[in-house]
PDB file of all heavy atoms in Angstrom:
ATOM      1  N   GLY A   7       6.457 -22.370 -39.543  1.00 93.00           N
ATOM      2  CA  GLY A   7       5.033 -22.582 -39.441  1.00 93.00           C
ATOM      3  C   GLY A   7       4.218 -21.691 -40.386  1.00 93.00           C
ATOM      4  O   GLY A   7       3.132 -21.298 -40.036  1.00 93.00           O
ATOM      5  N   LYS A   8       4.730 -21.348 -41.511  1.00 96.00           N
ATOM      6  CA  LYS A   8       4.021 -20.521 -42.460  1.00 96.00           C
ATOM      7  C   LYS A   8       3.637 -21.248 -43.706  1.00 96.00           C
ATOM      8  O   LYS A   8       4.488 -21.572 -44.568  1.00 96.00           O
ATOM      9  CB  LYS A   8       4.875 -19.293 -42.849  1.00 96.00           C
ATOM     10  CG  LYS A   8       5.207 -18.385 -41.725  1.00 96.00           C
ATOM     11  CD  LYS A   8       3.987 -17.527 -41.318  1.00 96.00           C
ATOM     12  CE  LYS A   8       4.395 -16.479 -40.300  1.00 96.00           C
ATOM     13  NZ  LYS A   8       3.215 -15.688 -39.850  1.00 96.00           N
ATOM     14  N   PRO A   9       2.391 -21.688 -43.855  1.00 97.00           N
ATOM     15  CA  PRO A   9       1.970 -22.418 -45.076  1.00 97.00           C
ATOM     16  C   PRO A   9       1.914 -21.416 -46.289  1.00 97.00           C
ATOM     17  O   PRO A   9       1.822 -20.216 -46.122  1.00 97.00           O
ATOM     18  CB  PRO A   9       0.573 -22.883 -44.717  1.00 97.00           C
ATOM     19  CG  PRO A   9       0.063 -21.845 -43.747  1.00 97.00           C
ATOM     20  CD  PRO A   9       1.283 -21.443 -42.968  1.00 97.00           C
ATOM     21  N   THR A  10       2.004 -22.020 -47.421  1.00 98.00           N
ATOM     22  CA  THR A  10       1.602 -21.254 -48.624  1.00 98.00           C
ATOM     23  C   THR A  10       0.130 -21.500 -48.793  1.00 98.00           C
ATOM     24  O   THR A  10      -0.334 -22.641 -48.877  1.00 98.00           O
ATOM     25  CB  THR A  10       2.373 -21.737 -49.832  1.00 98.00           C
ATOM     26  OG1 THR A  10       3.752 -21.423 -49.699  1.00 98.00           O
ATOM     27  CG2 THR A  10       1.888 -21.110 -51.137  1.00 98.00           C
ATOM     28  N   GLU A  11      -0.622 -20.388 -48.833  1.00 98.00           N
ATOM     29  CA  GLU A  11      -2.084 -20.540 -48.842  1.00 98.00           C
ATOM     30  C   GLU A  11      -2.734 -19.445 -49.706  1.00 98.00           C
ATOM     31  O   GLU A  11      -2.197 -18.411 -49.964  1.00 98.00           O
ATOM     32  CB  GLU A  11      -2.579 -20.475 -47.432  1.00 98.00           C
ATOM     33  CG  GLU A  11      -2.261 -19.175 -46.648  1.00 98.00           C
ATOM     34  CD  GLU A  11      -2.766 -19.176 -45.216  1.00 98.00           C
ATOM     35  OE1 GLU A  11      -3.731 -19.867 -44.918  1.00 98.00           O
ATOM     36  OE2 GLU A  11      -2.100 -18.560 -44.358  1.00 98.00           O
ATOM     37  N   ASN A  12      -3.966 -19.751 -50.089  1.00 98.00           N
ATOM     38  CA  ASN A  12      -4.788 -18.841 -50.850  1.00 98.00           C
ATOM     39  C   ASN A  12      -4.156 -18.437 -52.175  1.00 98.00           C
ATOM     40  O   ASN A  12      -3.807 -17.300 -52.453  1.00 98.00           O
ATOM     41  CB  ASN A  12      -5.091 -17.572 -50.050  1.00 98.00           C
ATOM     42  CG  ASN A  12      -5.631 -17.848 -48.651  1.00 98.00           C
ATOM     43  OD1 ASN A  12      -6.134 -18.989 -48.385  1.00 98.00           O
ATOM     44  ND2 ASN A  12      -5.562 -16.908 -47.742  1.00 98.00           N
ATOM     45  N   VAL A  13      -3.989 -19.443 -53.064  1.00 98.00           N
ATOM     46  CA  VAL A  13      -3.229 -19.326 -54.245  1.00 98.00           C
ATOM     47  C   VAL A  13      -4.144 -19.609 -55.487  1.00 98.00           C
ATOM     48  O   VAL A  13      -4.864 -20.601 -55.456  1.00 98.00           O
ATOM     49  CB  VAL A  13      -2.010 -20.269 -54.283  1.00 98.00           C
ATOM     50  CG1 VAL A  13      -1.250 -20.172 -55.593  1.00 98.00           C
ATOM     51  CG2 VAL A  13      -1.102 -19.990 -53.111  1.00 98.00           C
ATOM     52  N   ILE A  14      -4.061 -18.835 -56.526  1.00 98.00           N
ATOM     53  CA  ILE A  14      -4.791 -19.061 -57.776  1.00 98.00           C
ATOM     54  C   ILE A  14      -3.671 -19.250 -58.895  1.00 98.00           C
ATOM     55  O   ILE A  14      -2.819 -18.356 -59.068  1.00 98.00           O
ATOM     56  CB  ILE A  14      -5.721 -17.930 -58.148  1.00 98.00           C
ATOM     57  CG1 ILE A  14      -6.716 -17.658 -57.007  1.00 98.00           C
ATOM     58  CG2 ILE A  14      -6.438 -18.233 -59.426  1.00 98.00           C
ATOM     59  CD1 ILE A  14      -7.416 -16.333 -57.132  1.00 98.00           C
ATOM     60  N   VAL A  15      -3.787 -20.348 -59.585  1.00 98.00           N
ATOM     61  CA  VAL A  15      -2.864 -20.620 -60.723  1.00 98.00           C
ATOM     62  C   VAL A  15      -3.738 -20.914 -61.928  1.00 98.00           C
ATOM     63  O   VAL A  15      -4.434 -21.959 -61.950  1.00 98.00           O
ATOM     64  CB  VAL A  15      -1.938 -21.829 -60.404  1.00 98.00           C
ATOM     65  CG1 VAL A  15      -1.022 -22.097 -61.591  1.00 98.00           C
ATOM     66  CG2 VAL A  15      -1.114 -21.528 -59.166  1.00 98.00           C
ATOM     67  N   ARG A  16      -3.745 -20.034 -62.917  1.00 98.00           N
ATOM     68  CA  ARG A  16      -4.652 -20.254 -64.034  1.00 98.00           C
ATOM     69  C   ARG A  16      -4.103 -19.744 -65.342  1.00 98.00           C
ATOM     70  O   ARG A  16      -3.327 -18.809 -65.445  1.00 98.00           O
ATOM     71  CB  ARG A  16      -5.998 -19.576 -63.748  1.00 98.00           C
ATOM     72  CG  ARG A  16      -5.949 -18.055 -63.635  1.00 98.00           C
ATOM     73  CD  ARG A  16      -7.235 -17.455 -63.074  1.00 98.00           C
ATOM     74  NE  ARG A  16      -7.219 -16.024 -63.025  1.00 98.00           N
ATOM     75  CZ  ARG A  16      -8.006 -15.327 -62.198  1.00 98.00           C
ATOM     76  NH1 ARG A  16      -8.897 -15.886 -61.415  1.00 98.00           N
ATOM     77  NH2 ARG A  16      -7.908 -13.986 -62.207  1.00 98.00           N
ATOM     78  N   ASN A  17      -4.547 -20.438 -66.423  1.00 98.00           N
ATOM     79  CA  ASN A  17      -4.191 -19.985 -67.806  1.00 98.00           C
ATOM     80  C   ASN A  17      -2.711 -19.931 -68.020  1.00 98.00           C
ATOM     81  O   ASN A  17      -2.186 -18.974 -68.657  1.00 98.00           O
ATOM     82  CB  ASN A  17      -4.858 -18.659 -68.119  1.00 98.00           C
ATOM     83  CG  ASN A  17      -6.384 -18.723 -68.117  1.00 98.00           C
ATOM     84  OD1 ASN A  17      -6.987 -19.677 -68.621  1.00 98.00           O
ATOM     85  ND2 ASN A  17      -6.966 -17.735 -67.400  1.00 98.00           N
ATOM     86  N   ASN A  18      -1.961 -20.945 -67.545  1.00 98.00           N
ATOM     87  CA  ASN A  18      -0.527 -20.997 -67.748  1.00 98.00           C
ATOM     88  C   ASN A  18      -0.118 -22.163 -68.630  1.00 98.00           C
ATOM     89  O   ASN A  18      -0.902 -23.141 -68.734  1.00 98.00           O
ATOM     90  CB  ASN A  18       0.181 -21.122 -66.400  1.00 98.00           C
ATOM     91  CG  ASN A  18      -0.099 -19.975 -65.431  1.00 98.00           C
ATOM     92  OD1 ASN A  18       0.319 -18.853 -65.686  1.00 98.00           O
ATOM     93  ND2 ASN A  18      -0.832 -20.276 -64.382  1.00 98.00           N
ATOM     94  N   VAL A  19       1.037 -22.029 -69.271  1.00 98.00           N
ATOM     95  CA  VAL A  19       1.555 -23.133 -70.096  1.00 98.00           C
ATOM     96  C   VAL A  19       2.938 -23.509 -69.562  1.00 98.00           C
ATOM     97  O   VAL A  19       3.764 -22.600 -69.260  1.00 98.00           O
ATOM     98  CB  VAL A  19       1.659 -22.725 -71.566  1.00 98.00           C
ATOM     99  CG1 VAL A  19       2.325 -23.813 -72.386  1.00 98.00           C
ATOM    100  CG2 VAL A  19       0.335 -22.348 -72.126  1.00 98.00           C
ATOM    101  N   VAL A  20       3.181 -24.792 -69.364  1.00 98.00           N
ATOM    102  CA  VAL A  20       4.463 -25.259 -68.941  1.00 98.00           C
ATOM    103  C   VAL A  20       4.958 -26.251 -70.010  1.00 98.00           C
ATOM    104  O   VAL A  20       4.305 -27.240 -70.265  1.00 98.00           O
ATOM    105  CB  VAL A  20       4.458 -25.940 -67.554  1.00 98.00           C
ATOM    106  CG1 VAL A  20       5.845 -26.433 -67.144  1.00 98.00           C
ATOM    107  CG2 VAL A  20       3.886 -24.993 -66.515  1.00 98.00           C
ATOM    108  N   TYR A  21       6.167 -25.984 -70.522  1.00 97.00           N
ATOM    109  CA  TYR A  21       6.799 -26.884 -71.445  1.00 97.00           C
ATOM    110  C   TYR A  21       7.721 -27.831 -70.712  1.00 97.00           C
ATOM    111  O   TYR A  21       7.340 -28.380 -69.652  1.00 97.00           O
ATOM    112  CB  TYR A  21       7.571 -26.129 -72.547  1.00 97.00           C
ATOM    113  CG  TYR A  21       6.622 -25.354 -73.461  1.00 97.00           C
ATOM    114  CD1 TYR A  21       6.368 -24.024 -73.310  1.00 97.00           C
ATOM    115  CD2 TYR A  21       5.987 -26.079 -74.525  1.00 97.00           C
ATOM    116  CE1 TYR A  21       5.465 -23.348 -74.170  1.00 97.00           C
ATOM    117  CE2 TYR A  21       5.063 -25.403 -75.383  1.00 97.00           C
ATOM    118  CZ  TYR A  21       4.895 -24.047 -75.207  1.00 97.00           C
ATOM    119  OH  TYR A  21       3.975 -23.408 -76.070  1.00 97.00           O
ATOM    120  N   ARG A  22       8.928 -28.040 -71.117  1.00 93.00           N
ATOM    121  CA  ARG A  22       9.811 -28.992 -70.421  1.00 93.00           C
ATOM    122  C   ARG A  22      10.050 -28.567 -69.008  1.00 93.00           C
ATOM    123  O   ARG A  22      10.448 -27.425 -68.712  1.00 93.00           O
ATOM    124  CB  ARG A  22      11.099 -29.183 -71.180  1.00 93.00           C
ATOM    125  CG  ARG A  22      10.903 -29.863 -72.527  1.00 93.00           C
ATOM    126  CD  ARG A  22      12.209 -30.275 -73.106  1.00 93.00           C
ATOM    127  NE  ARG A  22      12.813 -31.398 -72.381  1.00 93.00           N
ATOM    128  CZ  ARG A  22      13.648 -32.284 -72.877  1.00 93.00           C
ATOM    129  NH1 ARG A  22      13.976 -32.237 -74.182  1.00 93.00           N
ATOM    130  NH2 ARG A  22      14.157 -33.245 -72.171  1.00 93.00           N
ATOM    131  N   ALA A  23       9.812 -29.456 -68.077  1.00 96.00           N
ATOM    132  CA  ALA A  23      10.004 -29.258 -66.682  1.00 96.00           C
ATOM    133  C   ALA A  23       9.858 -30.579 -65.957  1.00 96.00           C
ATOM    134  O   ALA A  23       9.297 -31.544 -66.522  1.00 96.00           O
ATOM    135  CB  ALA A  23       8.958 -28.265 -66.148  1.00 96.00           C
ATOM    136  N   HIS A  24      10.390 -30.712 -64.752  1.00 97.00           N
ATOM    137  CA  HIS A  24      10.178 -31.958 -64.006  1.00 97.00           C
ATOM    138  C   HIS A  24       8.729 -32.164 -63.616  1.00 97.00           C
ATOM    139  O   HIS A  24       8.250 -33.278 -63.547  1.00 97.00           O
ATOM    140  CB  HIS A  24      11.061 -31.952 -62.706  1.00 97.00           C
ATOM    141  CG  HIS A  24      12.526 -32.161 -63.072  1.00 97.00           C
ATOM    142  ND1 HIS A  24      13.478 -32.333 -62.050  1.00 97.00           N
ATOM    143  CD2 HIS A  24      13.217 -32.248 -64.212  1.00 97.00           C
ATOM    144  CE1 HIS A  24      14.655 -32.492 -62.636  1.00 97.00           C
ATOM    145  NE2 HIS A  24      14.516 -32.421 -63.911  1.00 97.00           N
ATOM    146  N   GLY A  25       8.058 -31.050 -63.370  1.00 98.00           N
ATOM    147  CA  GLY A  25       6.612 -31.091 -63.092  1.00 98.00           C
ATOM    148  C   GLY A  25       5.925 -29.850 -63.597  1.00 98.00           C
ATOM    149  O   GLY A  25       6.540 -28.756 -63.603  1.00 98.00           O
ATOM    150  N   GLY A  26       4.736 -30.010 -64.092  1.00 98.00           N
ATOM    151  CA  GLY A  26       3.978 -28.777 -64.562  1.00 98.00           C
ATOM    152  C   GLY A  26       3.562 -27.915 -63.376  1.00 98.00           C
ATOM    153  O   GLY A  26       4.044 -26.784 -63.234  1.00 98.00           O
ATOM    154  N   PHE A  27       2.643 -28.446 -62.537  1.00 98.00           N
ATOM    155  CA  PHE A  27       2.284 -27.799 -61.277  1.00 98.00           C
ATOM    156  C   PHE A  27       2.708 -28.746 -60.190  1.00 98.00           C
ATOM    157  O   PHE A  27       2.367 -29.940 -60.206  1.00 98.00           O
ATOM    158  CB  PHE A  27       0.817 -27.508 -61.225  1.00 98.00           C
ATOM    159  CG  PHE A  27       0.439 -26.937 -59.862  1.00 98.00           C
ATOM    160  CD1 PHE A  27       0.689 -25.646 -59.551  1.00 98.00           C
ATOM    161  CD2 PHE A  27      -0.150 -27.770 -58.875  1.00 98.00           C
ATOM    162  CE1 PHE A  27       0.404 -25.125 -58.302  1.00 98.00           C
ATOM    163  CE2 PHE A  27      -0.435 -27.260 -57.643  1.00 98.00           C
ATOM    164  CZ  PHE A  27      -0.183 -25.951 -57.337  1.00 98.00           C
ATOM    165  N   VAL A  28       3.419 -28.181 -59.216  1.00 98.00           N
ATOM    166  CA  VAL A  28       4.071 -29.013 -58.201  1.00 98.00           C
ATOM    167  C   VAL A  28       3.851 -28.460 -56.782  1.00 98.00           C
ATOM    168  O   VAL A  28       3.868 -27.251 -56.593  1.00 98.00           O
ATOM    169  CB  VAL A  28       5.585 -29.137 -58.433  1.00 98.00           C
ATOM    170  CG1 VAL A  28       6.295 -30.022 -57.421  1.00 98.00           C
ATOM    171  CG2 VAL A  28       5.887 -29.602 -59.877  1.00 98.00           C
ATOM    172  N   ILE A  29       3.629 -29.357 -55.842  1.00 98.00           N
ATOM    173  CA  ILE A  29       3.686 -28.968 -54.389  1.00 98.00           C
ATOM    174  C   ILE A  29       4.731 -29.882 -53.764  1.00 98.00           C
ATOM    175  O   ILE A  29       4.660 -31.077 -53.861  1.00 98.00           O
ATOM    176  CB  ILE A  29       2.319 -29.123 -53.677  1.00 98.00           C
ATOM    177  CG1 ILE A  29       1.279 -28.243 -54.304  1.00 98.00           C
ATOM    178  CG2 ILE A  29       2.460 -28.787 -52.177  1.00 98.00           C
ATOM    179  CD1 ILE A  29      -0.112 -28.348 -53.673  1.00 98.00           C
ATOM    180  N   GLY A  30       5.756 -29.272 -53.095  1.00 95.00           N
ATOM    181  CA  GLY A  30       6.746 -30.015 -52.388  1.00 95.00           C
ATOM    182  C   GLY A  30       8.104 -29.959 -53.158  1.00 95.00           C
ATOM    183  O   GLY A  30       8.278 -29.239 -54.145  1.00 95.00           O
ATOM    184  N   SER A  31       9.089 -30.739 -52.703  1.00 93.00           N
ATOM    185  CA  SER A  31       8.934 -31.570 -51.542  1.00 93.00           C
ATOM    186  C   SER A  31       9.082 -30.836 -50.188  1.00 93.00           C
ATOM    187  O   SER A  31       8.733 -31.322 -49.135  1.00 93.00           O
ATOM    188  CB  SER A  31       9.892 -32.764 -51.566  1.00 93.00           C
ATOM    189  OG  SER A  31      11.248 -32.378 -51.321  1.00 93.00           O
ATOM    190  N   GLU A  32       9.687 -29.626 -50.290  1.00 94.00           N
ATOM    191  CA  GLU A  32       9.870 -28.770 -49.086  1.00 94.00           C
ATOM    192  C   GLU A  32       8.516 -28.099 -48.717  1.00 94.00           C
ATOM    193  O   GLU A  32       8.298 -26.962 -49.162  1.00 94.00           O
ATOM    194  CB  GLU A  32      10.947 -27.790 -49.254  1.00 94.00           C
ATOM    195  CG  GLU A  32      12.290 -28.368 -49.639  1.00 94.00           C
ATOM    196  CD  GLU A  32      12.462 -28.498 -51.138  1.00 94.00           C
ATOM    197  OE1 GLU A  32      11.716 -27.907 -51.882  1.00 94.00           O
ATOM    198  OE2 GLU A  32      13.422 -29.180 -51.563  1.00 94.00           O
ATOM    199  N   MET A  33       7.686 -28.841 -47.941  1.00 95.00           N
ATOM    200  CA  MET A  33       6.377 -28.288 -47.644  1.00 95.00           C
ATOM    201  C   MET A  33       6.013 -28.439 -46.166  1.00 95.00           C
ATOM    202  O   MET A  33       4.902 -28.657 -45.816  1.00 95.00           O
ATOM    203  CB  MET A  33       5.276 -28.952 -48.559  1.00 95.00           C
ATOM    204  CG  MET A  33       5.469 -30.455 -48.769  1.00 95.00           C
ATOM    205  SD  MET A  33       5.394 -31.499 -47.333  1.00 95.00           S
ATOM    206  CE  MET A  33       3.700 -31.340 -46.895  1.00 95.00           C
ATOM    207  N   SER A  34       7.091 -28.321 -45.371  1.00 95.00           N
ATOM    208  CA  SER A  34       6.914 -28.597 -43.923  1.00 95.00           C
ATOM    209  C   SER A  34       6.022 -27.642 -43.184  1.00 95.00           C
ATOM    210  O   SER A  34       5.537 -27.881 -42.100  1.00 95.00           O
ATOM    211  CB  SER A  34       8.310 -28.647 -43.294  1.00 95.00           C
ATOM    212  OG  SER A  34       9.133 -29.646 -43.917  1.00 95.00           O
ATOM    213  N   GLY A  35       5.811 -26.440 -43.757  1.00 96.00           N
ATOM    214  CA  GLY A  35       4.889 -25.488 -43.139  1.00 96.00           C
ATOM    215  C   GLY A  35       3.496 -25.657 -43.615  1.00 96.00           C
ATOM    216  O   GLY A  35       2.545 -25.036 -43.175  1.00 96.00           O
ATOM    217  N   GLY A  36       3.249 -26.547 -44.601  1.00 97.00           N
ATOM    218  CA  GLY A  36       1.924 -26.834 -45.142  1.00 97.00           C
ATOM    219  C   GLY A  36       1.564 -26.040 -46.338  1.00 97.00           C
ATOM    220  O   GLY A  36       2.255 -25.075 -46.757  1.00 97.00           O
ATOM    221  N   ALA A  37       0.477 -26.441 -47.002  1.00 98.00           N
ATOM    222  CA  ALA A  37      -0.067 -25.727 -48.129  1.00 98.00           C
ATOM    223  C   ALA A  37      -1.552 -25.978 -48.180  1.00 98.00           C
ATOM    224  O   ALA A  37      -2.021 -27.096 -47.907  1.00 98.00           O
ATOM    225  CB  ALA A  37       0.609 -26.188 -49.446  1.00 98.00           C
ATOM    226  N   ARG A  38      -2.348 -24.903 -48.481  1.00 98.00           N
ATOM    227  CA  ARG A  38      -3.785 -25.084 -48.458  1.00 98.00           C
ATOM    228  C   ARG A  38      -4.471 -24.004 -49.316  1.00 98.00           C
ATOM    229  O   ARG A  38      -3.893 -22.960 -49.600  1.00 98.00           O
ATOM    230  CB  ARG A  38      -4.300 -25.004 -47.024  1.00 98.00           C
ATOM    231  CG  ARG A  38      -4.042 -23.694 -46.310  1.00 98.00           C
ATOM    232  CD  ARG A  38      -4.222 -23.855 -44.799  1.00 98.00           C
ATOM    233  NE  ARG A  38      -4.031 -22.602 -44.131  1.00 98.00           N
ATOM    234  CZ  ARG A  38      -3.629 -22.510 -42.821  1.00 98.00           C
ATOM    235  NH1 ARG A  38      -3.413 -23.597 -42.114  1.00 98.00           N
ATOM    236  NH2 ARG A  38      -3.421 -21.313 -42.252  1.00 98.00           N
ATOM    237  N   ASN A  39      -5.693 -24.320 -49.639  1.00 98.00           N
ATOM    238  CA  ASN A  39      -6.529 -23.350 -50.397  1.00 98.00           C
ATOM    239  C   ASN A  39      -5.856 -22.956 -51.683  1.00 98.00           C
ATOM    240  O   ASN A  39      -5.553 -21.750 -51.931  1.00 98.00           O
ATOM    241  CB  ASN A  39      -6.879 -22.135 -49.526  1.00 98.00           C
ATOM    242  CG  ASN A  39      -7.589 -22.463 -48.245  1.00 98.00           C
ATOM    243  OD1 ASN A  39      -8.281 -23.500 -48.200  1.00 98.00           O
ATOM    244  ND2 ASN A  39      -7.441 -21.634 -47.267  1.00 98.00           N
TER     245      ASN A  39
END
């Protein structure tokens, strides 16, 4: 029951990857803010 919360992601570069910015799929505790 511990969400990932209160996160700032800025001024980043992502090259080859399955996703640039991703939430999941293991997100059963939630994510917010």
Side-chain angles (χ1 to χ4, degrees):
K8 295 287 186 181
T10 292
E11 60 184 329
N12 309 341
V13 179
I14 304 166
V15 177
R16 64 190 180 202
N17 298 314
N18 300 292
V19 176
V20 181
Y21 290 99
R22 292 195 69 154
H24 286 186
F27 175 78
V28 182
I29 299 178
S31 71
E32 304 88 14
M33 39 62 69
S34 302
R38 62 193 181 208
N39 302 333

